[in-house]
Structures are given as structure tokens and as C-alpha cells.
Amino acid sequence: MRIFVTGASGWIGSALVPELIDAGHQVTGLARSDASAAALTAAGADVVRGTVDDLDVLGATAAASDGVVHLAFKHDIAFGGDFAGAAHADRRAVDALGDALAGTGRPFVLASGLAGLKPGQVATERDMATADGSPVSIRATTAAAVIALASRGVRSSVVRLSPTCHGEGDNGFMASLVAVARAKGVSGYIGDGANRWPAVHRLDAARLFRLAVEKAPAGSVLHGTAEEGVALRDVAEVIGRHLGVPVTSVAPEAAAEHFAWLGGFLGLDCPASSTLTRELLDWRPTRPGLVEDLDKGHYFHTAATGS
């Protein structure tokens, strides 16, 4: 198949492109910069220039493809304080891609998130997010729209990803947490640190997206979780050991000051199962778990800046 991938040079996309090519597919990647275009060309992909705001480009490229994986999201403005703006832009892109694929029976795979889906309980693929009008719920509404494309002749699926897709080169949540611990001189967790995050290695996530575009049934909800829930205190302890700093609790009311933008996420308790996904697609994560990956040391080689 010729697969159109948005976000193809990003953290997951740069692992998905070789995963698809190695499986015999051709890839067209969306590139918004010369650097992204060069990276995609070097990886063996074709390049179309544009951004998620270029709806005509998205639609035309999707229409000329055998399937689409939509990974791009404006994380820069989302974490800069305009999550709603990023989420609305994502919905417009999804609508353009979906309209181009309507009636074709071709696959459309969307990357979405698990955080906050079912707080304090183990979320499964059968659980659906509540659209409460909040900026975060806009993404849930977008995911529901992709699932609904099954009724319009699209083999649509949504991969709900763990908050942390870890691995060497990660510049997301874990790298940012390491950077905070290095700057503050303590490795912190919120409250008793018993709250849990699901986790998945980047390469395992890439394989899941490849399986989804190849064979996920229309209207599928999939969970990109290799580990159901890792306690954040366990994460803090590994970071403290590698940096040689104390491990300490941070009061919830002090989380925003201590962790900056991370404070709004680190207190979440959001375990999630991927049992149904594994059964449906025969997906078997094989890469190291989060604590094991942190213990390999690559997160501590240089001073991380976060993202």
C-alpha cells in the first residue's frame, strides 16, 4: 500500500516510516520544513510539503493514497497554552482527510490519547471519553468522528496512546521530568506517588500503527499500552538514583510551581489495558518497559530540555 503519514518525521512517525517500508509499503510523509523533508527522503519516503493547516494538500494526498495515518498534532502551541487551538486545527485536518477517503474502504488511523479517559480505573478499549466541552475533550470528539467514518465507507481506527511513548531520543514527558529533577536538585512525585501511567515503547507503538493500517476493522478503538500502569513514584526513584539526587513528594498544591507545565499531568492516575487490542491484531510488545528503559541510562546522558 501507499500510506500517507502526517507527523512522519516526529517521535512516533520517524519509527513508523521504516516500520512500514520494511513491511513492503510505500510511504508519503507530510513535511513542514526542509529538515523534515530531508529526514523523510533519507528514510526512503516520498515527501509532500505542507502543514496540518493545508487542508487542500491533506485531502489531495489522502485521495491519492491507499491509506492514511494521522500522527501530526500542534504540540508546540498545545503545551504553550493554546491546547484548544491545537485541537481545533486537528479536527479540521481530520475532517479533510476523512472526506477524501469517504466511500473508498481505505484505512484511516488516528493517533489519540489515553490520559484522563477513566481516572482512577483501568480503562479499556470499550470505554469512551465524555465530551464535556473542555479543550482536552475536543480531541475525544475528534476521535469519535474518526470512528464514525466507518459508516461512510472508511476503514477507520483510533490508536489511543499512553502518556509516555518512551525510548532513546525521547524529548517528551520523561525527558522533561529528568530535566526538572536536574534543575531542582530533587526527583519529585506528587502526593504519595501511587498514581499510575500506562506506558509503551516508541518502537512497539510504531508496530501497532502499522498493524492498524494493515488490518484493523472499521471503527476499531486500539490501546497503545505495553504496561497497564507504572507508579510515578517508581519513575521518580529511578531518576533520583541516576542523577544522585533525593527523591521527594511534592504537595499537589505546589505541583504547578515545582513541575511547571508538567504539574497538570503528573498527578493523573490513568491506568489502561490493551488486552482487546492484542487479541484483535496479535500485537505483542517486546521492547523494554518504562522503568527498565530509564535504567538503561540514555535519558541521563545530556541535560534534557523537554518539549
Side-chain angles (χ1 to χ4, degrees):
M1 291 192 291
R2 173 168 289 281
I3 310 299
F4 176 35
V5 181
T6 72
S9 61
W11 177 234
I12 302 295
S14 59
L16 176 60
V17 169
E19 174 78 24
L20 289 169
I21 291 173
D22 288 347
H25 301 293
Q26 295 175 292
V27 176
T28 299
L30 183 69
R32 63 177 180 174
S33 69
D34 291 342
S36 293
L40 289 171
T41 298
D46 295 327
V47 175
V48 60
R49 295 298 295 263
T51 74
V52 292
D53 293 320
D54 295 319
L55 303 184
D56 290 344
V57 172
L58 298 182
T61 310
S65 301
D66 298 314
V68 175
V69 180
H70 180 46
L71 301 174
F73 190 76
K74 293 184 174 184
H75 289 100
D76 50 351
I77 71 167
F79 292 129
D82 188 15
F83 194 97
H88 283 301
D90 188 51
R91 178 56 187 270
R92 291 190 293 271
V94 161
D95 287 344
L97 294 166
D99 287 345
L101 294 174
T104 66
R106 297 172 189 166
F108 179 18
V109 186
L110 172 73
S112 191
L114 276 166
L117 178 62
K118 196 174 181 183
Q121 302 178 62
V122 178
T124 77
E125 294 88 339
R126 294 192 178 98
D127 292 311
M128 301 305 291
T130 300
D132 58 8
S134 67
V136 173
S137 77
I138 299 170
R139 289 200 82 183
T141 302
T142 298
V146 170
I147 294 168
L149 285 170
S151 66
R152 297 179 60 198
V154 179
R155 185 162 61 80
S156 60
S157 61
V158 172
V159 176
R160 298 196 293 214
L161 285 168
S162 303
T164 177
C165 295
H166 55 89
E168 188 162 4
D170 178 15
N171 198 35
F173 281 123
M174 289 301 113
S176 298
L177 193 55
V178 170
V180 170
R182 183 178 275 118
K184 297 287 186 178
V186 297
S187 180
Y189 54 87
I190 296 175
D192 63 5
N195 60 299
R196 300 151 293 174
W197 274 17
V200 66
H201 194 282
R202 165 181 177 250
L203 298 179
D204 284 325
R207 189 165 72 256
L208 176 56
F209 277 101
R210 193 251 305 165
L211 292 172
V213 79
E214 288 178 342
K215 61 182 182 179
S220 298
V221 176
L222 309 167
H223 277 189
T225 63
E227 295 178 280
E228 188 172 282
V230 180
L232 269 293
R233 179 167 183 163
D234 292 343
V235 171
E237 287 175 347
V238 177
I239 293 172
R241 183 170 70 250
H242 277 267
L243 293 181
V245 300
V247 180
T248 186
S249 172
V250 175
E253 59 270 21
E257 180 181 356
H258 185 90
F259 294 107
W261 65 271
L262 275 170
F265 296 94
L266 288 179
L268 293 174
D269 185 37
C270 52
S273 166
S274 60
T275 299
L276 299 178
T277 297
R278 297 179 193 221
E279 292 174 352
L280 182 67
L281 299 181
D282 194 29
W283 177 58
R284 298 289 181 265
T286 60
R287 301 291 175 167
L290 176 57
V291 169
E292 181 184 353
D293 198 19
L294 285 166
D295 248 338
K296 289 180 177 293
H298 55 80
Y299 278 95
F300 310 97
H301 291 165
T302 59
T305 58
S307 66

